[in-house]
């Protein structure tokens, strides 16, 4: 399974999510590889009560990972992921709301001494999430990082060309497959060469877990298998015939939700 759609890694979307106790740290790439994180370090008169309440929140909204390190009355609470979705911020706000309502909790400087035996990890079990899954060479996983409120999006991308005569049927078949695999965004750009349609196709989801709703997981291996059958059916050729005109990147939307968050800002300008 794979999670596609809108996420945050580099900036805190303060216009959407307000935080008091938690501090956001952006993800790093390259040699200094580090996931994004949301961290609160607090002093609690009754740390057991705080931990119990956080566990209750996680019991109800368990499609995320929460870590709690305890050192006496000091607690470090954090969520770490390369992709922080709406769902993660929703759960965090539940924790924030609880901490804000309790006078016995104070913000605290960073804890220096960590021991694994004091670490509590709350996470969903048996979730076969394939963050490192790499489809075949003709199906790519791409990222757009200049979207609304500094959001990013993760999507499946295909560069190919087909006969213009069957292009509409080809796109309609992709749409049908996407819906069957819990995907609700499909758009493409097209550049004509004689009777050939060069296509840049993107398939993904919108925001994941708004207001605590369930995330839409996609069985990426099933989706890939269905696409391969479709490629053969429509005699699809990959890459482009004689290149792709970058000045012709207007997009055609077949399915869309949360457009400002999904599509790269520059891409939208080219389509206006």
């Amino acid at each position: 399974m794979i999670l596609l759609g809108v996420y945050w890694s580099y900036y805190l979307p303060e216009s959407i999510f307000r935080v008091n106790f938690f501090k956001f740290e952006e993800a790093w790439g390259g040699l200094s590889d580090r996931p994004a994180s949301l961290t609160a370090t607090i002093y609690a008169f009754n740390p057991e009560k705080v931990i119990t309440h956080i566990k209750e929140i996680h019991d109800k909204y368990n499609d995320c990972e929460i870590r709690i390190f305890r050192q006496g009355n000091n607690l470090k609470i954090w969520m770490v992921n390369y992709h922080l979705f709406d769902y993660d911020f929703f759960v965090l706000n539940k924790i924030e709301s609880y901490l804000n309502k309790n006078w016995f909790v104070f913000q605290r400087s960073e804890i220096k001494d960590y021991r694994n035996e004091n670490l509590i990890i709350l996470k969903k079990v048996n979730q076969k999430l394939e963050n490192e899954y790499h489809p075949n060479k003709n199906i790519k996983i791409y990222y757009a990082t200049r979207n609304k409120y500094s959001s990013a999006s993760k999507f499946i991308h295909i560069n190919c060309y087909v006969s213009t005569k069957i292009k509409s049927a080809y796109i309609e078949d992709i749409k049908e497959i996407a819906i069957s695999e819990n995907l609700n965004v499909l758009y493409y750009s097209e550049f004509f060469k004689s009777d050939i349609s060069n296509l840049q196709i993107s398939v993904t989801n919108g925001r994941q877990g708004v207001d605590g709703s369930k995330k839409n997981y996609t069985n990426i291996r099933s989706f890939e298998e269905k696409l391969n059958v479709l490629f053969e059916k429509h005699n699809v050729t990959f890459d482009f015939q004689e290149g792709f005109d970058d000045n012709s990147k207007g997009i055609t939307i077949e399915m869309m939700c949360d457009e400002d968050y999904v599509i790269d800002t520059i891409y939208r300008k080219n389509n206006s």
Side-chain angles (χ1 to χ4, degrees):
M1 306 297 282
I2 193 171
L3 266 175
L4 300 170
V6 176
Y7 66 93
W8 283 267
S9 283
Y10 307 106
Y11 301 96
L12 176 68
E14 294 180 353
S15 299
I16 311 174
F17 306 107
R18 298 287 182 180
V19 294
N20 178 29
F21 285 92
F22 284 83
K23 177 183 177 182
F24 177 81
E25 290 189 345
E26 67 182 273
W28 290 346
L31 295 175
S32 301
D33 185 63
R34 181 187 74 179
S37 64
L38 292 155
T39 307
T41 308
I42 64 171
Y43 179 91
F45 288 135
N46 191 339
E48 292 88 354
K49 185 177 180 179
V50 175
I51 292 170
T52 297
H53 193 83
I54 293 174
K55 286 181 176 179
E56 290 172 355
I57 292 173
H58 189 266
D59 285 342
K60 188 173 182 180
Y61 304 102
N62 66 358
D63 200 357
C64 63
E65 181 174 318
I66 304 170
R67 298 189 175 201
I68 307 169
F69 177 81
R70 179 181 177 183
Q71 187 181 77
N73 289 76
N74 296 305
L75 297 175
K76 178 181 177 180
I77 308 159
W78 73 107
M79 302 176 73
V80 181
N81 206 318
Y82 286 95
H83 304 133
L84 291 169
F85 296 93
D86 277 86
Y87 189 96
D88 300 301
F89 287 102
F90 174 83
V91 174
L92 176 136
N93 281 345
K94 288 287 185 183
I95 299 173
E96 275 263 329
S97 178
Y98 170 73
L99 296 178
N100 282 323
K101 291 177 181 177
N102 287 278
W103 62 269
F104 54 82
V105 172
F106 300 91
Q107 289 182 316
R108 189 77 170 176
S109 60
E110 186 72 16
I111 299 173
K112 300 297 183 182
D113 180 25
Y114 292 98
R115 280 167 282 193
N116 289 334
E117 60 266 24
N118 294 327
L119 179 64
I120 301 167
I121 300 177
L122 308 175
K123 64 180 180 179
K124 188 175 184 179
V125 296
N126 298 326
Q127 180 59 60
K128 298 180 180 179
L129 189 59
E130 300 188 71
N131 287 321
E132 302 302 322
Y133 176 70
H134 300 286
N136 67 46
K137 64 179 181 179
N138 299 317
I139 305 170
K140 310 294 184 182
I141 299 293
Y142 277 15
Y143 301 84
T145 58
R146 294 183 290 269
N147 305 344
K148 188 175 182 178
Y149 296 130
S150 303
S151 63
S153 61
K154 181 178 181 180
F155 55 96
I156 294 168
H157 187 81
I158 306 164
N159 291 333
C160 61
Y161 62 89
V162 296
S163 168
T164 301
K165 292 180 180 180
I166 59 95
K167 185 266 296 185
S168 295
Y170 172 51
I171 294 296
E172 191 62 31
D173 281 349
I174 293 178
K175 180 178 178 179
E176 183 178 333
I177 291 171
I179 293 171
S180 74
E181 296 295 345
N182 290 326
L183 295 163
N184 54 29
V185 172
L186 168 62
Y187 60 94
Y188 66 92
S189 56
E190 182 175 10
F191 179 63
F192 296 99
K193 284 285 187 179
S194 184
D195 59 348
I196 293 297
S197 291
N198 289 295
L199 300 168
Q200 291 184 325
I201 303 169
S202 298
V203 190
T204 185
N205 278 312
R207 295 169 67 182
Q208 291 273 23
V210 176
D211 296 329
S213 59
K214 290 183 178 180
K215 298 175 184 175
N216 283 332
Y217 287 88
T218 297
N219 187 329
I220 186 62
R221 296 183 185 275
S222 172
F223 185 60
E224 182 181 353
E225 288 172 2
K226 292 176 182 178
L227 283 177
N228 286 333
V229 173
L230 193 62
F231 295 153
E232 185 174 349
K233 172 184 174 182
H234 291 288
N235 194 27
V236 175
T237 306
F238 297 97
D239 294 323
F240 304 119
Q241 186 181 74
E242 301 178 30
F244 197 98
D245 187 344
D246 287 337
N247 294 319
S248 302
K249 285 191 177 179
I251 63 172
T252 299
I253 294 174
E254 293 290 330
M255 299 190 295
M256 181 56 67
C257 64
D258 306 316
E259 180 175 348
D260 289 349
Y261 296 86
V262 169
I263 301 179
D264 188 299
T265 303
I266 294 175
Y267 213 163
R268 291 201 305 274
K269 287 180 179 178
N270 287 339
N271 194 46
S272 59

